[in-house]
Amino acid sequence: MKLYNTASRKIETFKPLGEVVKVYTCGPTVYSNAHIGNLTAYIYWDLLVRALRANKYKVKRVLNLTDVGHLVSDGDEGEDKLEKGAAREGRTVWEVADSYIEKFLDDYRSLELSEPEVIARATDYIDADMQAVDLMTERGFTYETRDGVYFDTAKFDDYAKFARLDIEGLQAGARVGFSSEKRGVADFAVWKFIQPGEKHAMRWDYLGRPGYPGWHLECSTIIHETLGEPIDIHTGGIDHIPVHHTNEIAQSYAAYGHELARVWMHCNFITIDGEKISKSLGNVFLLSDLAERGFSALDYKMWVLSGHYQGARNFTFESLGAAKQRRLNWRNRIAALNQQDISSGGSCRTFSSPTSLTLSGGPPPGPSPARVTPSGHINEILNAVNDNLNSAEAFAVIDNSELTLDDWRMVDELFGLRLIEDSPDAPDDVYELLRERDRMRAEKDYKRSDELRDLLLEKGYTVKDTPEGAIWQYAE
Ligand code: AMP
Ligand code: ZN
């Protein structure tokens, strides 16, 4: 597989560090609903994991849920996002976190994203956070101010390397009075103290005072506890490069003395009708908003995967309509394959079982679709995905190739599109209407045959005439 590595700014041939490929994905801050822009990352990184598995790698993947300590700015200013959510909704921070975690996981599942081996809540790793701060302090990487323990970026020679940061430029541009106790402009809090009178419900005693971890810390400690650094692949959005991931790298080195990750992958942002996603523009669409307009989560996933993860994508409802149509077209190709026996006069229905696959991690029970004989097209599809996750190219191959049912099973396995499961057999009366229509056409009773076609449409099916006879197709 070839993957673009942000650390080297190059496309590299992927070489695993050990027997199990360790993957970490920076997860959501659970203080509000995930909008469709937020969800793109999880779609791309699920493809990454599925592609690794299709290449026969064993994968252990960890996703974190930020339920504490993420301030409104990625620096150390502003309110804690969770506290803000709680104030907005008149609920406790714990209730807010629980409810948005549930919503996020609902979205996650409706997108058919394979479950990570570990889903880690930041608040379950507070002891590890304190130990990490202790280690960084022992090794001379921190200093204390009135409002927290800060990472001294001047002590880490490579601090600017990952994001190619211009520290002097940042320093010159820093606002006067900006966190006056900070020694360097890029220094960041690894632990925050709660000031007297400050409302902060999530609090833990450390260094004799109540406080909470700095946002960046959780990813370093969760990786340390669940995977062990260095990991193979670390993923996130491009906005994570200059601050969040830069700080993760610095902390992990300072606390544990290791490189954090070998390959860093970042996905780009989407705009909607050319605009940034923002509340003021009223374009913060959730999956539920798409559903109200007749689009399923998997239609959206088709739209996401029809582009490249590194491209800045522009979302329109028109392009979502095209993605929905494409998925319908693929399901109808499966329906046509399933009807081949019937239309050639046989009575046996060959509908493939949707239950022969598992979509989540680990070897599927029973016969693995990886062991069925794939056609050459499947290799072409996999080759496209192996080329730095070029799902757009893979989709073009699918459009232009004659796939077998086994091929379609593998397409489902690779992209998690639930094509087979969403292509069930039609009920008996559909077949009866179809055959009657055949008879009417043979008798040249076109009026009756058109009526039968309309009846089928009412039931949600269209009719397609093929050289082997008429078959039904899903109308939607
Ligand atoms: P936010 O809750 O707005 O801070 O977003 C959380 C994460 O979602 C960000 O760190 C980004 O990586 C990602 N994200 C936000 N907006 C978009 C977007 N328009 N397109 C893609 N990813 C986004
Ligand atoms: Zn992170």
Side-chain angles (χ1 to χ4, degrees):
M1 286 176 84
K2 290 204 164 24
L3 300 172
Y4 181 85
N5 185 356
T6 302
S8 66
R9 303 291 194 275
K10 283 195 183 85
I11 291 184
E12 299 173 355
T13 300
F14 176 68
K15 290 191 200 74
L17 294 168
E19 235 183 74
V20 175
V21 176
K22 303 180 201 173
V23 180
Y24 183 83
T25 297
C26 285
T29 304
V30 285
Y31 74 113
S32 64
N33 285 307
H35 60 62
I36 59 172
N38 302 137
L39 293 171
T40 57
Y42 309 104
I43 296 173
Y44 292 127
W45 309 137
D46 180 55
L47 173 62
L48 169 70
V49 168
R50 286 171 183 272
L52 286 164
R53 294 205 166 109
N55 284 281
K56 309 277 189 282
Y57 292 115
K58 286 200 189 83
V59 180
K60 180 174 178 186
R61 190 209 185 186
V62 179
L63 170 78
N64 71 306
L65 302 169
T66 300
D67 59 356
V68 66
H70 190 170
L71 304 188
V72 171
S73 85
D74 280 357
D76 303 303
E77 293 193 329
E79 255 177 297
D80 181 300
K81 287 187 174 182
L82 260 293
E83 298 287 340
K84 204 178 152 193
R88 182 184 65 222
E89 297 177 19
R91 298 195 287 172
T92 70
V93 277
W94 302 99
E95 286 165 352
V96 167
D98 284 348
S99 76
Y100 287 116
I101 285 174
E102 211 171 294
K103 281 194 172 166
F104 173 75
L105 293 177
D106 281 349
D107 284 351
Y108 198 91
R109 292 186 192 112
S110 68
L111 288 163
E112 292 285 331
L113 304 177
S114 43
E115 192 114 344
E117 280 59 41
V118 180
I119 297 181
R121 271 181 85 140
T123 46
D124 289 335
Y125 291 82
I126 302 294
D127 286 343
D129 291 340
M130 294 177 188
Q131 284 161 21
V133 179
D134 285 345
L135 287 169
M136 287 185 243
T137 301
E138 275 166 31
R139 302 178 70 204
F141 284 95
T142 66
Y143 58 89
E144 220 174 286
T145 72
R146 269 172 299 177
D147 79 332
V149 180
Y150 279 76
F151 189 98
D152 189 349
T153 54
K155 297 273 166 61
F156 181 51
D157 289 343
D158 282 344
Y159 185 78
K161 187 175 158 197
F162 179 68
R164 319 286 203 260
L165 295 175
D166 168 16
I167 301 290
E168 279 172 21
L170 285 175
Q171 196 84 50
R175 275 180 287 136
V176 181
F178 173 77
S179 287
S180 58
E181 288 182 80
K182 263 181 21 173
R183 293 181 192 162
V185 67
D187 293 1
F188 58 94
V190 288
W191 191 267
K192 291 281 276 187
F193 299 131
I194 295 170
Q195 305 303 316
E198 186 188 341
K199 269 192 70 192
H200 203 283
M202 288 196 185
R203 50 176 65 207
W204 293 267
D205 275 326
Y206 178 53
L207 303 174
R209 267 167 287 182
Y212 58 94
W215 168 46
H216 315 293
L217 189 56
E218 64 185 69
C219 293
S220 289
T221 57
I222 290 170
I223 288 172
H224 184 69
E225 298 288 319
T226 59
L227 293 167
E229 59 285 313
I231 60 169
D232 291 275
I233 307 174
H234 195 311
T235 69
I238 46 169
D239 57 317
H240 291 148
I241 300 170
V243 181
H244 182 54
H245 286 169
T246 288
N247 292 350
E248 283 186 29
I249 290 167
Q251 290 163 162
S252 290
Y253 177 78
Y256 313 120
H258 294 294
E259 177 191 21
L260 180 54
R262 191 57 52 86
V263 178
W264 291 81
M265 296 179 71
H266 295 95
C267 58
N268 210 323
F269 272 45
I270 67 165
T271 50
I272 297 188
D273 292 322
E275 308 267 16
K276 203 176 148 218
I277 299 180
S278 84
K279 276 218 174 79
S280 56
L281 291 169
N283 64 359
V284 182
F285 293 115
L286 313 182
L287 286 183
S288 54
D289 297 316
L290 302 192
E292 274 175 26
R293 294 178 183 223
F295 298 102
S296 71
L298 294 177
D299 293 333
Y300 181 64
K301 186 177 189 178
M302 287 288 291
W303 179 82
V304 172
L305 293 178
S306 65
H308 193 256
Y309 75 95
Q310 290 181 291
R313 312 266 323 278
N314 186 40
F315 174 91
T316 61
F317 277 98
E318 198 186 352
S319 59
L320 181 61
K324 179 189 166 90
Q325 194 55 43
R326 195 181 209 178
R327 184 163 183 273
L328 174 63
N329 178 262
W330 290 1
R331 286 170 51 226
N332 274 326
R333 286 168 61 189
I334 292 170
L337 285 172
N338 274 325
Q339 290 172 84
Q340 261 170 12
D341 269 13
I342 302 162
S343 59
S344 59
S347 60
C348 111
R349 298 185 188 180
T350 59
F351 268 77
S352 51
S353 151
T355 52
S356 62
L357 290 177
T358 54
L359 291 162
S360 57
S368 156
R371 270 174 250 127
V372 300
T373 5
S375 73
H377 300 308
I378 282 298
N379 289 331
E380 244 183 290
I381 292 163
L382 191 56
N383 284 345
V385 169
N386 284 347
D387 180 13
N388 193 24
L389 306 186
N390 195 341
S391 49
E393 172 67 24
F395 276 21
V397 175
I398 295 170
D399 281 337
N400 298 320
S401 312
E402 286 230 354
L403 302 186
T404 65
L405 280 172
D406 279 341
D407 290 342
W408 282 112
R409 275 191 203 97
M410 294 182 72
V411 166
D412 259 347
E413 183 88 348
L414 189 54
F415 298 105
L417 291 169
R418 220 174 56 212
L419 295 164
I420 299 263
E421 193 180 331
D422 284 354
S423 307
D425 198 358
D428 286 343
D429 57 345
V430 167
Y431 284 95
E432 280 154 21
L433 288 169
L434 206 59
R435 280 181 212 122
E436 197 185 334
R437 179 181 168 272
D438 278 345
R439 278 195 298 276
M440 292 303 118
R441 278 166 64 87
E443 292 171 15
K444 300 205 165 25
D445 184 347
Y446 295 116
K447 186 162 170 283
R448 180 66 188 146
S449 94
D450 284 352
E451 280 168 14
L452 290 162
R453 181 186 282 259
D454 292 344
L455 266 175
L456 280 161
L457 192 57
E458 272 169 35
K459 293 182 183 292
Y461 297 88
T462 59
V463 182
K464 184 177 175 185
D465 291 302
T466 74
E468 291 82 33
I471 61 168
W472 55 262
Q473 300 270 266
Y474 307 106
E476 62 171 1

